[in-house]
Amino acid sequence: QVQLVESGGGSVQAGGSLTLSCAASPSIDNEDSMAWFRQAPGKEREAVAGIYTNTGGTHYADSVTGRFTVSREKDSNVLYLKMTNLRTEDTATYYCASGFKWGRGAFWYRPASYSYWGQGTQVTVSS
């Protein structure tokens, strides 16, 4: 079982930047695919970015393409989400996910495709 702990959230003005971290234990070496999701009050959890941890291949939601970057530091058990040019609509609780359940119907953007979740970190963007 993998434990995930997110950090780096906070309050920022529109146009600002934040970098979120997701520390995994004991290791993410056996994780093929990880992702960042977010959930705003009253809304469903939505995918933000995904990464294949071995190849570095990435996916992004259309709403964050060009503004957010997901990465994994080499030989590290930390996943990052660098967020730039933040908008008020980016306000949400951000979650890290791992334990991708390969199989029919499993897609990087589907929350049900992941077994493990962190507790979330709040990002608030003000105008």
Side-chain angles (χ1 to χ4, degrees):
Q1 186 166 347
V2 176
Q3 291 187 326
L4 304 171
V5 179
E6 301 96 336
S7 61
S11 297
V12 64
Q13 289 192 323
S17 301
L18 282 174
T19 297
L20 306 182
S21 300
C22 171
S25 63
S27 172
I28 58 175
D29 288 343
N30 294 324
E31 298 291 327
D32 297 317
S33 177
M34 297 181 67
W36 286 95
F37 287 76
R38 66 186 181 189
Q39 188 167 17
K43 294 188 177 181
E44 292 188 354
R45 190 166 296 192
E46 64 173 358
V48 174
I51 185 169
Y52 295 108
T53 54
N54 293 323
T55 66
T58 56
H59 300 280
Y60 295 96
D62 290 344
S63 60
V64 306
T65 297
R67 301 188 298 122
F68 290 12
T69 304
V70 59
S71 64
R72 175 197 175 184
E73 190 174 322
K74 189 179 180 182
D75 298 327
S76 165
N77 291 320
V78 181
L79 194 69
Y80 298 98
L81 183 68
K82 182 178 180 180
M83 307 183 294
T84 63
N85 192 20
L86 282 160
R87 305 168 181 170
T88 55
E89 54 264 39
D90 295 319
T91 294
T93 300
Y94 284 70
Y95 298 90
C96 178
S98 71
F100 190 77
K101 295 181 279 188
W102 293 95
R104 189 171 185 174
F107 298 96
W108 78 271
Y109 52 83
R110 293 187 65 188
S113 300
Y114 298 88
S115 298
Y116 307 118
W117 294 84
Q119 83 291 345
T121 185
Q122 177 67 37
V123 172
T124 303
V125 184
S126 59
S127 58

